[in-house]
């Protein structure tokens, strides 16, 4: 079993690559839920949804979020009626949010709902939230504490980041099936090329999760989301700088510290000072071929470490 | 002030006619909420919405419910994900349900939300729910008790009706502004051409409502929803028959009993045995002209009774 920790877009690209190579029962994707929030009464899980849509081939390649072939009649009308429109919900995307919200309110676990939707959309590998208990990432900025989506979407990640916290993480229970997979000596743990601060560290903040990964006896391989000092997408590089670290692959490796046994980074980037074994690959994923190639490279790295 | 009691389609047509004739501050529309229900976690108020869309000129003339220029991307996707699709929610219509549900959950009264939406859509007269407390119409059928929308939409009103009850009506508080309007000696109370059993009687079942109407000192004029023994739309005639009454205008008048001082019915229909004063009009409303003409006729009838 490969246990892959993932945030949204970048992580989902590698997860898609892995899903095309591995038998479905040999891949377990652990999704960050720190980005989750309730918007106009709807339970929104951005990273779960990006993973789900990407693995189902339903992702929107133009927007980089939401569903392809989307329409916006709901959103337009919602705004006309006075509803909030800073977080855009497409007509098709909305179906998932309404269904999930209803089922959560009826008492069903997020993992159960996520798994049912995965199967309905024909996705082979399991996608599991890191926890069924709510964890909410909050940003301490130069303007004070801001809820994650307020900072990320409404404020376009503009306020300067001073610290990040994961409200609720301390009392959240790790997803039992993830712990079971880690106990069963997986082939490897992959840390996908996601933002360490807001996509991977919320997962590691769940009590017992970091310890279970460290104790699982398998190689733990991270892929750098920073290439040539830049993030492929999103605020990763900005956050490194604002938190006092030069954005670089080595800063990513340092952030994960002793948890890593291997680190996959772009050809040509500076590997000086990186402690885990370094593997070189083309980490920028444009088309499906890039995703498959990187997935193969990461699997080869993990197997070389066994 | 004209106080008009209304259900959905037929009532909304007369309400539209009245709204085109009367200054907005002289018309108060009291909407039945016995049809309301929670569907996949969304608070749906079919009669309020039909009134709102009709008076805003947004009603769907093809379907007879919902909004015009509607699209169905949400519904299609919702069904694909396993959501219930027997009650169809259009993409634009959904905006109202999501907004209302959210605001209700935040503790706002249904009357306040309904009034805000009315103003945003440029509707002059007020539309008020009969009560802000939930009342739920249930049908005792030959198959047992069925929730109203289950019977009406999912079962297409097929099960034979034995009785109707309004769960929650006994403890629901009448809408204070409706009582105030009735106390302020209105020009008339209109009972729109709606189904007596499921559109008007829920309003009259709210404690104090029937008494306030009877005591208001103004003419109370009903318009027959039955023309030549047939309902223009919906199960009204079927319900009369199943409840043991021949469907006719006189059966409608008898149903309202001593509450009425006037009764508006189709030219040529049998008025034998009708106790309140009978007024004749063309009660079938096709275009706007029909609605205006009937509104004028009903107002003239009321004024003749003063």
């Amino acid at each position: 079993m490969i246990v892959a920790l993932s945030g949204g877009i970048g992580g989902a690209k590698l997860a898609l690559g892995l899903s095309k190579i591995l038998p479905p029962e040999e891949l377990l994707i652990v999704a960050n839920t720190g980005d989750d929030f309730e918007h106009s009464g709807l339970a929104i899980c951005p990273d779960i949804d990006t993973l789900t849509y990407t693995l189902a081939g339903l992702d929107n390649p133009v927007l980089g979020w939401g569903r392809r072939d989307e329409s916006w009649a709901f959103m337009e009308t919602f705004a006309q009626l006075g509803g909030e429109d800073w977080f855009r919900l497409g007509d098709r995307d909305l179906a998932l949010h309404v269904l999930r919200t209803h089922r959560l309110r009826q008492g069903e676990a997020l993992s159960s709902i996520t798994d049912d939707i995965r199967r309905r959309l024909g996705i082979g590998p399991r996608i599991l939230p890191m926890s069924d208990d709510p964890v909410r990432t909050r940003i301490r900025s130069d303007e004070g504490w801001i809820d994650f989506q307020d900072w990320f979407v409404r404020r376009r990640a503009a306020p300067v980041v001073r610290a990040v916290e994961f409200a609720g993480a301390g009392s959240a229970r790790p997803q039992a099936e993830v712990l079971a997979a880690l106990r069963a000596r997986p082939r490897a743990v992959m840390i996908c090329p996601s933002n360490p601060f807001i996509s991977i560290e919320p997962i590691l903040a769940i009590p017992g999760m970091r310890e279970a990964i460290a104790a699982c006896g398998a190689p733990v391989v991270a892929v750098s989301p920073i290439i040539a000092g830049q993030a492929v997408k999103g605020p990763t590089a900005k956050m490194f700088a604002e938190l006092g670290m030069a954005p670089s692959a080595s800063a990513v490796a340092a952030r994960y510290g002793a948890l890593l046994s291997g680190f996959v980074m772009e050809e040509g980037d500076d590997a000086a000072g990186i402690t885990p074994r370094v593997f070189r690959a083309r980490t920028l994923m444009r088309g499906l071929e890039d995703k498959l190639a990187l997935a193969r490279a990461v699997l080869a790295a993990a197997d070389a470490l066994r």
Side-chain angles (χ1 to χ4, degrees), chain A:
Chain A
M1 176 79 87
I2 299 288
V3 177
L5 316 188
S6 180
I9 302 181
K13 287 181 178 177
L14 180 57
L16 177 64
L18 291 167
S19 78
K20 299 280 186 190
I21 291 173
L22 296 164
E25 66 279 8
E26 292 182 19
L27 177 59
L28 175 64
I29 300 160
V30 184
N32 169 46
T33 58
D35 294 9
D36 292 7
F37 74 129
E38 186 154 297
H39 184 63
S40 297
L42 298 169
I44 317 277
C45 304
D47 287 355
I48 289 177
D49 293 353
T50 295
L51 283 161
T52 300
Y53 292 149
T54 301
L55 267 70
L58 295 171
D59 55 306
N60 189 316
V62 178
L63 291 176
W65 51 268
R67 281 183 68 130
R68 68 176 60 213
D69 304 325
E70 190 56 286
S71 56
W72 305 95
F74 166 84
M75 202 75 236
E76 185 185 298
T77 311
F78 196 66
Q80 286 164 356
L81 294 178
E84 290 194 43
D85 63 349
W86 58 269
F87 194 93
R88 293 180 58 71
L89 299 168
D91 298 330
R92 292 188 185 279
D93 186 31
L94 192 65
L96 178 45
H97 307 310
V98 169
L99 190 71
R100 176 168 47 214
T101 303
H102 180 48
R103 290 170 66 168
L104 284 171
R105 284 193 195 274
Q106 289 183 309
E108 191 174 350
L110 180 59
S111 54
S112 165
I113 301 164
T114 304
D115 199 56
D116 180 50
I117 289 167
R118 166 191 74 84
R119 283 186 287 102
R120 285 183 185 273
L121 293 178
I123 299 170
R126 303 202 67 178
I127 301 168
L128 285 174
M130 63 194 196
S131 174
D132 282 331
D133 300 318
V135 176
R136 296 294 177 260
T137 297
R138 301 178 71 230
I139 302 290
R140 185 158 69 78
S141 76
D142 55 347
E143 304 175 21
W145 284 105
I146 311 182
D147 289 343
F148 178 73
Q149 296 294 349
D150 268 5
W151 174 77
F152 185 59
V153 178
R154 178 142 55 176
R155 302 296 311 279
R156 294 162 194 264
V160 174
V161 177
R162 301 290 185 219
V164 181
E165 74 160 19
F166 311 117
S171 57
R173 289 158 297 180
Q175 194 61 251
E177 288 180 72
V178 175
L179 292 188
L182 290 169
R183 274 197 301 268
R185 202 177 173 104
R187 179 175 165 193
V189 176
M190 305 295 191
I191 299 182
C192 289
S194 297
N195 183 316
F197 307 108
I198 54 179
S199 296
I200 302 300
E201 289 179 12
I203 304 176
L204 300 176
I206 307 291
M209 194 71 92
R210 183 186 284 270
E211 296 72 11
I213 293 169
C216 77
V220 179
V221 180
V223 180
S224 178
I226 299 277
I227 302 175
Q230 308 253 312
V232 176
K233 197 168 172 77
T236 311
K238 174 178 184 288
M239 292 185 81
F240 266 102
E242 290 172 1
L243 292 166
M245 294 160 265
S248 66
S250 65
V252 174
R255 191 79 199 166
Y256 293 130
L259 199 62
L260 299 187
S261 37
F263 190 66
V264 177
M265 57 185 285
E266 190 72 14
E267 312 273 358
D269 273 5
D270 185 4
I274 297 182
T275 313
R277 185 163 155 197
V278 167
F279 298 84
R280 299 291 188 164
R282 283 194 51 213
T283 57
L284 185 64
M285 292 172 281
R286 288 208 172 99
L288 181 59
E289 277 311 311
D290 296 340
K291 298 175 182 78
L292 293 171
L294 183 58
R296 282 190 204 100
V298 179
L299 286 168
D303 290 342
L305 288 162
R306 288 172 73 88

